[in-house]
Amino acid sequence: MPDNALPDPVAAKPAATPRKHAARAGEEIFAKAIDPRVVARFFGFLRPYRFMIVISIVAVLVFTLTQIAVPLVIRYVIDKALPAAAGGLAARGNAVHLLGLAVGGFFAVALVNYASNYCQQTWVAVTAERVLIDMRRAMYSHLQQVSLSFMDRTQVGQLMSRLQGDVGALQEFLESSIFAIGDLALLIGIIIVLLAMDAELGLLTLSVVPILVLVRAIWLPAAKRAFLRARETSSIVNSALAENINGVRTVQEMSREGFNFAAFREKAAENYRTHLRATRLAQVMVPTVDTLTGAAMAIVILVGGNRVLEGTLEVGVVVAFLFYVQRFFDPIRSLTMQYSVMQQATASGQRIFEVLDVPVDLKDRPGAIDLMKSRNPGEGTVEFRNVTFGYVAGLPILKNVSFSVAPGETVALVGPTGSGKTSTMALLHRFYDVWEGQVLIGGRDVRDLQQESLGRHIAMVLQEPFLFTGSVIDNIRYREALASREVVERAARAVGAHDFIARLPQGYDTVLGQRGVNLSIGQRQLLSFARAIVADAGILILDEATASVDSFTERAIQTALEKTLVGRTGLIIAHRLATIRGADRIIVLQEGRIVEQGTHAQLLAMGGLYHRLHAMNVASFDDLPANRH
Amino acid sequence: MALRYRVRFPAAVLAVIGAATFQLLIPRFLGGAIDHAASMLAAAGGEDATLIAAAKSALLGSALMVLGTAIMRGVFTLAHNYLAESIGQSFGYELRLSFFEKLQRLSFSYHDRIHSGDLITRGMLDIEGVRRFIESGVMRLFQLAVLIGLGAYLYMGQDLILGALCVSFVPFALWRGVVFRLRVRALWREFQERMSVLTRIMEENLAGIRVVRAFAAQKHEMQKFDDWQQRTLAPAIDMVRVRYFNTSMMTFSYFVAMGLVLWFGGLRVIDGQITVGELTQFLVFMTVLQMPVRQVGMVINGYARASVSGARMFEILDLEPAIRDRQGAPALKIGAAALAFENVSFSYQGFASEHTVEGITFAIEAGQTLGIVGPPGSGKSTIAHLIPRFYDVTGGRITIDGQDIREVTLDSLRAQVGVVQQDTFLFKTEVRENVCYGEPGAEDDRVVEAADTAQLHDYVAGLPEGYDTLVGERGLSLSGGQRQRLSIARSVLLTPRIIVFDDSTAAIDAGTELRIRESLKELNRSRATIIISHRLSSLMHADEILFLEEGRIVERGSHAELLAQQGPHLGRYRRLFDLQMGLARDNAHAR
């Protein structure tokens, strides 16, 4: 399944040479400009907003028209209204009238400009905001469905950068593309107006455009390299920072502050240098564009001026030209920038659609059964029928495993590390699908059941307790959000957590820090245990849930567990044998096969693997005087 | 700031003034050229050849001046932009370093309270926001002020009314700008706060996806997510509205001013008071102002962001680490490594009174071992964290060879104290680097030796890339037991004179643990050892064992003494032992 593993966007993997490394990361940040597949799918997200987008584009075009109109009004004033004054008082009146009309027209243009300006910017930005939200939601909701084997392979940080950075890049792209339409229209509009006013002068003025395009074509590759490098150093600095924040306790324990600071300073300095280099390259364009603007203006003055002198051109045309020339380079500049925005967006789009393309292997079959709707005593039966399963093709973890657990029975799984205990539990919950064989609950294949109802039927206490930011009570009633305080408290009492919770500043309402950092690991395990009890499910799974609690607490839990398990099916994994001694039956796994089965006494009597494991776990007691025979 | 960039800052100011001056000269030359063309035409009717020749050469002159001025403007703009960026980058660089420095020094109690994602956001986005504003905002505002100020001066000098009309939109635009700034700042903060909640929700969901799946809580999680997405959307849309409402008002006021210039200027041309060229000059002057007017919105937006970000940054930069070296503190002088707790008490500020310890007194020295047992939350780890001063005691004192640990430098203290934690943080680098994390560049044989002591060597040596295997994010994932062994190796390598094992073998099976203990035996002669464990077999050889409950020592003594204790309130250790021993007896029976 490694085919749907995500390639890392920042690509910090070591490469043969730094150059090569930069080039490779470059390909990933700036993908090829247009990937039709990405574009097509991106359009899918725009569909709900097509009306908004269309009227946004209309507003953009109207706005562009008003921009083109302004110099024309000025030209009209200079060429038509003002010369009308030549020739007496009546002419003056006429001129003032014409001027008044023109200025009135100007205000009208300004008003339309204002309205269209507000509309285009707001509509575009709001639409882009909504598209961003939709895309993030699509990705997030997809991640709730994809198989755990995908999530196992993928780093949270990597997904987060897609949920935040990459959707942001697409949002920016959407905004700038709609404005790019305006830029393009402006450019074409100006060219048309220039040529219409005077073809010769227009052509001469436009002659600077190919020069600019040429210069930019030469400049772009070099600049792009510099920009890339700058981005790369930024991500290096940021990931160094993130790692230091996450590992700050270890850093302080090991007194590495000085060393890490020096290393970080080096990275930050490199980041500083590369950014300055990128700036130098970016800024080179400024005098270039200014020089070309100056040249275009000089052409207008020289050629236009002479034509005016010859009487073949009106002054107002020259003035209008000067206005247009000043505005002329803006759209060219933003359009060339648009190209790299597009490249970035394509790369981001690819990364987003990669996530959306991860197949949901574990889907509810049509007509899947809701396990909760047909609660009958048989639902507690668990059966593994010739199950073979693994995470990597060709490397099965479980090999032809068969066993069954009767309703109400408690079965313990033991075995050395890597024998497949945790995988067995994961299969029961259908975190993964089996390769071969069947997992059955209440006689039904788990693949025929609604996953949601499966989750409600099984409560798990996982190996690593995971708490959410929020109050203690909300963590305990994580699944039963409406569970009453009494229910929560009863569960907490049952696992021996009530006392310490009661001593917290706000008791059950105390808000836990990140992942419950202000609790000890043992306490976190107790809370996650209480959570499973509140879930009140028919099947309870414990995956080495009490590794970090002391034996007293463990015994208290044991008692609670025995009570809780009455009428429920229990499956327990533990290293410590005390946890499993209460089990009705013990299954011993080794290298993915069941090697022994029976009660504690039966297994000890067998003198096999269980016996050896058992002896090993208490071996350290052997040198005790009290225990010496 | 101006002080710290002694050369670049004044240079940037000069560049801004230079660029503005040349920028403002362009309309003059253009207007002049129009006049040459138009007035000559009017005066001579296109007939007088000498006048036309003069006009032509004047036109050439104007054209060259315009070109030259444009080039100069470009050069000065380049200088200004570059200097501004350079100042901004230097500022960002320094801010980044002080942020990094600060958060490395902030004590555990601070890091306990703050979410690491929040710190990362500050270190990435907030620094960037502040930097960008310094770079483009501050200088651009200055540029705008110079353009308008200098322009108003020049053009009002030429024609008071027209000049005043040209800049008449400025007060209105300023007013809108101020309103905008106030509104957007509040919205930006709201957005930022909600966004950080959303980030946390997503991050926790993904990190805890197994719990989410195990409890079939996807619906619940989606609801939470949708709820907060909507909450971030509201201020985002409000920001858009406020921003564009005000910026389009600004642009509108600009165009109104331009219309007025056209109106009054036109009238004056009609009345022959000014030439067409002069009118052109004022109109072109207005186009010079158009770009900055458009940018004002961006600058204000950047300012709103930067001031919120800046506040978040300085919140951290202004913190004083609660735990730091006393002025002129000497280095720890280590002798027998005699560690003593004298009636120590401690409580976490603001949280979890249950973590409190009280009246803890004990003493050990090199060659001795202290064992600590007790239920979860009884304060075992707290004691471990007090020794290297991750937290400072709130009562009593801790001494090492007679020196109060608060009176010596942190570095010298931590060099002598090793704590092997329950949780092991792996850095995404090679196994080797992870083992010698506390002593970068330690010799290979020492790394191997430390790994061997921790019973990790055989496993690592068996990996295809051995000690060069990458671990941590995207690298090899180690099991809980392997991580704990790596953590032990990490501490052992540093040969601290005082070592604390904080339940650091919970995930290691008893057999392996026994071997680790065997290999540590030799080393332990020269160091004081504290073992915190739930497994009595790990610590029953200790010289003294403390039984902790609710932060107090309720029983103490050697293993044998504790077993012999009788009495109504005593015997916890014995009961615990019996509980764990029960297994051994069963085992014996079975045999």
Side-chain angles (χ1 to χ4, degrees), chain B residues 324-326 328-332 389 404-415:
Chain B
R324 59 192 152 146
D325 289 346
R326 196 176 48 79
L332 174 70
R389 278 188 82 197
D404 189 319
I405 57 170
R406 284 167 298 187
E407 301 294 320
V408 296
T409 60
L410 271 179
D411 279 354
S412 66
L413 170 69
R414 289 182 184 166

Side-chain angles (χ1 to χ4, degrees), chain A residues 244-441:
Chain A
N244 250 274
I245 290 172
N246 289 325
V248 68
R249 287 178 177 77
T250 310
V251 171
Q252 293 193 4
E253 262 156 50
M254 300 268 146
S255 299
R256 271 266 293 215
E257 294 96 332
F259 185 88
N260 284 2
F261 183 72
F264 184 76
R265 185 165 52 201
E266 221 165 86
K267 287 175 184 137
E270 179 64 12
N271 178 46
Y272 171 74
R273 276 193 296 275
T274 53
H275 270 91
L276 276 195
R277 191 180 143 62
T279 307
R280 275 200 292 276
L281 270 160
Q283 292 303 324
V284 166
M285 278 318 282
V286 172
T288 313
V289 168
D290 276 342
T291 305
L292 289 174
T293 314
M297 287 193 289
I299 290 172
V300 172
I301 290 171
L302 214 54
V303 178
N306 280 321
R307 293 268 307 279
V308 172
L309 287 179
E310 288 159 15
T312 53
L313 196 68
E314 290 164 308
V315 180
V317 174
V318 176
V319 174
F321 260 84
L322 289 176
F323 270 80
Y324 285 124
V325 165
Q326 301 225 346
R327 292 302 321 277
F328 197 67
F329 291 92
D330 292 351
I332 296 182
R333 198 161 20 192
S334 35
L335 281 173
T336 42
M337 285 319 257
Q338 180 62 18
Y339 184 72
S340 48
V341 172
M342 203 147 80
Q343 282 178 313
Q344 277 175 39
T346 307
S348 290
Q350 279 167 351
R351 285 197 289 270
I352 288 172
F353 295 123
E354 229 164 57
V355 171
L356 290 176
D357 283 344
V358 175
V360 178
D361 316 319
L362 309 174
K363 265 186 260 188
D364 279 351
R365 184 167 284 190
I369 301 152
D370 183 346
L371 198 55
M372 300 307 281
K373 279 209 180 118
S374 57
R375 228 180 184 178
N376 61 54
E379 304 298 359
T381 322
V382 168
E383 193 185 348
F384 273 58
R385 229 178 252 167
N386 307 100
V387 168
T388 300
F389 168 74
Y391 300 96
V392 182
L395 279 178
I397 300 288
L398 294 177
K399 296 157 198 155
N400 199 21
V401 168
S402 299
F403 67 88
S404 70
V405 184
E409 197 186 9
T410 300
V411 168
L413 288 181
V414 294
T417 312
S419 56
K421 304 180 298 266
T422 301
S423 301
T424 309
M425 303 305 194
L427 288 180
L428 184 57
H429 202 297
R430 205 181 163 211
F431 282 170
Y432 311 94
D433 269 343
V434 295
W435 291 358
E436 277 166 44
Q438 272 184 306
V439 177
L440 303 119
I441 289 182

Side-chain angles (χ1 to χ4, degrees), chain B residues 382-402:
Chain B
T382 304
I383 290 179
H385 286 166
L386 290 176
I387 304 170
R389 278 188 82 197
F390 292 153
Y391 305 91
D392 267 343
V393 297
T394 43
R397 63 181 202 139
I398 301 172
T399 61
I400 293 175
D401 287 332

